[in-house]
Amino acid sequence: MERRVNELLGQMTLEEKIGQLNLISHGPPLRWEDISEGKAGALLNFNSAADVARAQALARQTRLKIPPIFGLDVLHGFRTQYPIPLGEAAAFSPRISRLASEWAAKEAAYIGVQWTFAPMADLSRDSRWGRIVEGFGEDPHLGSVLTAARVEGFRQGGLATAAKHFAGYGAPQGGRDYDTTYIPPAEMYDTYLPPFRAAVKAGSASFMAAFNALNGVPSTANPWLLTDVLRNQWGFDGFVTSDWAGIHELLGHGIAKDGAEAARKAILAGVDMDMMGQLYINHLPGEVRSGRVPESVVDESVRRILRTKMRLGLFERPDTDPARVDSIFPSAETRKVAREVARETLVLLQNRDNVLPVAQGVRSIAVVGPLADAPHDQLGPHAARGHKEDSVTVLQGIRQRAASAGITVNHAPACDLFCRNTDGLQAAVDAAESSDLVIAVFGEPQELSGEAASRTRLTLNGRQVEVLEALAATGKPVALVIIAGRPMELGQLADRIPSIVMAWYPGTEGGPAVADVLFGDANPSGKLPLSWFRTVGQLPYYYNRLPSGRPTLANNRFTLQYIDEAITPLYPFGWGLSYTSFAYKEAAIAKPRLGAGDTLKVSVDLANTGARDGQEVAQLYTRDPVATRSRPLRELKAFEKVALKPGETKRITLRVPVEELGFHLDDGTYLVEAGDIEVFVGGSSQAEAIGKAEIIETIRIPPTERRASISRSTAQ
Ligand code: BGC
């Protein structure tokens, strides 16, 4: 491979090399001639087979016939939409993440897409940031497991990945998209970088640099991130693309006076490809000829791109058949998978009086709320080629299921999508009063979530609260289904409404999946991948925080607390109820004294103590109570989703290699210190303490010795 790469490189002119570094989007200002002139090493947003095939034919007119790579944001589906990534994370299941990614990839690959700008590996503790919807939430372990699963799934389905946005993008100040981020290096290594490292280990073909400045140095010109950590410490040998016009934005960041300087800083820091900036193509020839950028730097970037194209087999692949159309999806098979995935992502937040599942005696249901019948909104942001016409809405899902049981459905939206106008409120109250059960579907219209959707208020927008209060006041049992890209501030509603289900944006088959759970055909098993805050003023909020010298004490205001709100979350990280109940018994630590190379093994009997089949996510947390740096109160270290029949008990074993029980110093050194480790096992981050293990020797690993051993098990 390296010989082939170097042979090809040896034949290239400087302009041809720089052409490989240029990533151009479909749509204005695309000049199709750029492709035949060898100025487009990569293309994005070509999402029809006819356009891909046309570009491939043009690329074959170039002297060296190097195929372009076709990229697209395929995050949670192409035509069929699976739940948005934050929801998918709530399944707490690498199997489910792999499955959804694989199918998303298969559909996109069918029409010629080869590369996805996913997975988003940005950890976030701040729901004000709209893009939290694209990730996995607040936990580095969950994030690492799921990011790896997504990379594998996409690859399995035929797409190379770009892990994004490297790095720190999920922690912008004030939750404002594109704002600056300050994260100390040790915190980067411990919290924000592990999911990216997992992407390298899983064999991600590429990375995307983030828009944000990190500690004053924009990620797109950050040699520490792009070269020291990614290449030298982790051994990544794929390529890095900028984000959309990210190199141009170095001018906005105030670290380059003109395009030439921006291009120079980006390539010297380690950005190989310029997405929609045109700065490499316009300025790098001059920068190289004047000696400001060594040609060897350009060569190395070209090598990374050619190597990736060869690994993917792009030189050998036949062109895409222009007759292919995405309208063959959703197929019966993709609908089935989408429904299965969505079912696993629903989180039952509370269920007082067992309002859910729909009881035997219920003869009529009022379905209220604009999001009950919102085929576009349920797809969520970044829905690639998703068509709202393909969606089965929550209302339709409930209607179908209710019909089979002879239950009447009274539908009353109560208000418009943004709930500004409540002309329909009285009709909704009437529908509620004349029904046995109310299913209210409210939340966040899709336009309020995703990129460039930072919010300072996370209460339900418009007059939704007023509508929900009116429904509660009818005295009828109410179940609230929330469709949203992040937790919402529920305030009094959590007291007023007995049963609440978080459904995220559940995708094309969202309606049937929600109905499956509401009617008890599926037992909810999702768990929160982030802490559900009480008020927006608590943000950023996360469970794995450091202890305080003044731990919270009731009746002592000079301890860690707010004077106007509880310090606790409304629902903790890892939380989610079931229609059955589970018990953890007889937890035991296999070997309480652990040396380097050992594994902490915790076994526990997990019992289904209720009357229905169910799945529980068993979670293991640890704490290092005394260390040279203050360590988090709890950290998730292992989890397993287990299916149990009523009355069944399974003994499960959760495993944590000792080398995952440490922490980093600012220089990247990894330290596992001798001493006690407290262990907690249970069904949420409030799991009970089950004992202690002792690490008997201190392990110190220098940064360059923690290289990610890269797996390329399949296609790539
Ligand atoms: C986003 C990226 C995305 C890119 C291409 C940017 O605005 O930040 O996440 O991959 O556009 O669509």
Side-chain angles (χ1 to χ4, degrees):
M1 170 97 56
E2 289 309 297
R3 192 172 42 83
R4 226 179 126 198
V5 168
N6 283 322
E7 270 172 22
L8 185 52
L9 186 69
Q11 298 173 48
M12 295 169 81
T13 63
L14 180 60
E15 274 68 20
E16 284 168 331
K17 291 176 187 171
I18 293 167
Q20 285 301 305
L21 313 185
N22 197 25
L23 171 52
I24 314 179
S25 178
H26 195 283
L30 170 73
R31 289 172 63 246
W32 287 85
E33 310 85 85
D34 280 346
I35 305 172
S36 48
E37 289 166 9
K39 293 179 183 158
L43 294 161
L44 81 143
N45 293 334
F46 280 60
N47 51 22
S48 81
D51 282 346
V52 171
R54 179 177 170 201
Q56 285 172 323
L58 288 170
R60 229 167 316 91
Q61 294 173 16
T62 59
R63 190 173 73 91
L64 297 169
K65 304 183 177 26
I66 301 175
I69 180 168
F70 293 86
L72 184 71
D73 291 293
V74 180
L75 270 92
H76 56 103
F78 181 62
R79 177 82 188 232
T80 313
Q81 298 302 312
Y82 302 85
I84 45 89
L86 184 62
E88 183 207 288
F92 263 73
S93 165
R95 180 184 76 80
I96 288 292
S97 292
R98 230 177 272 120
L99 186 70
S101 307
E102 179 176 349
W103 277 99
K106 277 185 184 164
E107 287 190 20
Y110 175 77
I111 66 99
V113 177
Q114 299 158 339
W115 177 35
T116 175
F117 303 120
M120 190 183 91
D122 295 313
L123 181 142
S124 186
R125 297 164 159 179
D126 195 336
S127 291
R128 291 173 297 182
W129 187 56
R131 298 198 84 169
I132 201 164
V133 67
E134 291 179 55
F136 51 75
E138 72 186 29
D139 185 74
H141 177 71
L142 181 67
S144 299
V145 171
L146 298 189
T147 299
R150 289 168 181 174
V151 168
E152 289 159 12
F154 283 127
R155 180 172 55 221
Q156 196 70 35
L159 294 187
T161 50
K164 70 187 187 186
H165 307 82
F166 198 58
Y169 184 46
Q173 296 212 326
R176 292 175 295 267
D177 207 2
Y178 318 123
D179 209 342
T180 206
T181 299
Y182 283 97
I183 307 171
E187 178 73 347
M188 282 299 287
Y189 280 115
D190 280 342
T191 305
Y192 290 88
L193 291 178
F196 287 103
R197 186 167 179 272
V200 173
K201 274 178 96 166
S204 184
S206 67
F207 266 56
M208 184 189 293
F211 285 133
N212 63 289
L214 172 68
N215 303 326
V217 183
S219 300
T220 307
N222 193 317
W224 176 74
L225 277 174
L226 301 171
T227 299
D228 297 355
V229 173
L230 183 61
R231 266 91 183 215
N232 298 342
Q233 295 176 15
W234 296 349
F236 175 69
D237 67 354
F239 70 91
V240 175
T241 177
S242 76
D243 200 343
W244 189 280
I247 300 176
H248 183 80
E249 290 180 13
L250 296 177
L251 276 75
H253 279 293
I255 66 149
K257 65 178 178 312
D258 54 26
E261 188 174 13
R264 180 167 73 240
K265 287 200 161 171
I267 196 158
L268 291 177
V271 176
D272 305 304
M273 196 179 267
D274 175 2
M275 184 198 289
M276 288 306 283
Q278 300 282 333
L279 293 183
Y280 280 6
I281 202 114
N282 291 335
H283 297 291
L284 281 185
E287 290 300 291
V288 170
R289 294 206 167 93
S290 67
R292 283 188 292 269
V293 172
E295 187 160 356
S296 59
V297 171
V298 172
D299 286 353
E300 193 48 40
S301 290
V302 177
R303 256 188 219 107
R304 292 170 181 148
I305 291 164
L306 294 178
R307 187 186 291 138
T308 308
K309 290 182 174 182
M310 286 180 190
R311 263 185 200 143
L312 293 169
L314 299 192
F315 288 84
E316 291 78 33
R317 270 193 209 177
D319 284 359
T320 297
D321 172 0
R324 291 186 168 190
V325 284
D326 61 43
S327 54
I328 69 159
F329 304 112
S331 62
E333 195 174 14
T334 66
R335 283 193 182 280
K336 190 165 159 276
V337 177
R339 183 168 175 173
E340 179 191 347
V341 173
R343 260 197 314 244
E344 299 262 341
T345 66
L346 268 53
V347 184
L348 181 62
L349 297 171
Q350 60 182 47
N351 194 21
R352 286 197 304 271
D353 310 327
N354 294 327
V355 165
L356 292 177
V358 175
Q360 286 294 335
V362 168
R363 303 315 316 148
S364 55
I365 300 177
V367 177
V368 181
L371 287 167
D373 202 25
H376 166 73
D377 295 84
Q378 74 183 47
L379 299 179
H382 272 307
R385 293 281 286 173
H387 285 220
K388 67 176 188 197
E389 292 74 19
D390 297 334
S391 295
V392 186
T393 66
V394 175
L395 175 65
Q396 289 166 332
I398 292 175
R399 272 201 206 284
Q400 282 162 12
R401 179 57 177 79
S404 70
I407 299 172
T408 314
V409 172
N410 304 310
H411 174 228
C415 55
D416 62 305
L417 182 64
F418 284 83
C419 215
R420 294 186 184 112
N421 172 335
T422 47
D423 291 351
L425 179 55
Q426 191 52 49
V429 169
D430 292 346
E433 276 169 349
S434 60
S435 304
D436 299 328
L437 170 69
V438 181
I439 294 175
V441 189
F442 288 85
E444 190 180 36
Q446 199 222 94
E447 270 63 27
L448 299 185
S449 173
E451 185 176 353
S454 302
R455 297 182 66 184
T456 60
R457 295 178 190 82
L458 290 171
T459 42
L460 294 170
N461 59 278
R463 299 170 70 177
Q464 298 184 71
V465 175
E466 182 187 326
V467 175
L468 284 162
E469 288 284 355
L471 295 174
T474 63
K476 294 285 177 173
V478 182
L480 169 63
V481 176
I482 301 175
I483 306 269
R486 49 185 145 196
M488 298 274 99
E489 183 173 326
L490 296 179
Q492 298 301 316
L493 291 173
D495 296 328
R496 308 273 287 132
I497 301 209
S499 183
I500 306 181
V501 177
M502 181 59 176
W504 317 99
Y505 295 113
T508 306
E509 283 288 308
V514 168
D516 287 341
V517 163
L518 295 178
F519 285 84
D521 303 332
N523 196 344
S525 62
K527 298 279 186 174
L528 287 177
L530 72 190
S531 308
W532 193 297
F533 56 87
R534 291 174 186 276
T535 70
V536 85
Q538 290 180 314
L539 297 175
Y541 196 92
Y542 49 98
Y543 81 96
N544 46 354
R545 60 177 184 80
L546 300 187
S548 162
R550 294 189 174 194
T552 308
L553 285 177
N555 308 323
N556 182 350
R557 72 182 286 169
F558 296 98
T559 61
L560 185 78
Q561 48 196 315
Y562 294 107
I563 54 170
D564 61 351
E565 184 52 274
I567 190 81
T568 53
L570 182 59
Y571 311 109
F573 173 86
W575 174 261
L577 299 173
S578 165
Y579 297 146
T580 187
S581 49
F582 299 101
Y584 292 78
K585 290 178 215 144
E586 310 290 336
I589 297 173
K591 184 179 165 200
R593 284 171 54 79
L594 302 164
D598 281 343
T599 294
L600 170 69
K601 288 191 197 129
V602 180
S603 299
V604 66
D605 282 348
L606 179 55
N608 179 343
T609 51
R612 285 172 182 263
D613 288 6
Q615 297 188 83
E616 165 72 331
V617 179
Q619 302 163 45
L620 183 150
Y621 295 82
T622 60
R623 179 182 182 194
D624 183 348
V626 183
T628 50
R629 292 183 82 110
S630 190
R631 304 300 305 136
L633 289 167
R634 286 189 179 200
E635 296 176 87
L636 179 71
K637 290 293 177 184
F639 62 90
E640 189 180 337
K641 194 163 192 175
V642 186
L644 292 164
K645 303 254 167 245
E648 186 182 356
T649 299
K650 279 185 189 160
R651 188 142 187 95
I652 58 162
T653 303
L654 297 162
R655 294 179 173 80
V656 190
V658 165
E659 285 178 17
E660 287 174 20
L661 289 171
F663 57 90
H664 290 87
L665 305 180
D666 278 334
D667 70 357
T669 300
Y670 188 71
L671 211 56
V672 183
E673 289 184 333
D676 284 350
I677 295 287
E678 296 169 0
V679 182
F680 311 81
V681 174
S684 82
S685 55
Q686 293 178 343
E688 278 180 31
I690 59 114
K692 282 181 188 167
E694 188 194 351
I695 297 173
I696 54 175
E697 56 185 320
T698 292
I699 309 162
R700 176 182 276 272
I701 309 177
T704 46
E705 284 173 30
R706 281 200 94 218
R707 290 199 149 218
S709 53
I710 299 171
S711 115
R712 295 192 205 287
S713 47
T714 34
Q716 236 163 84

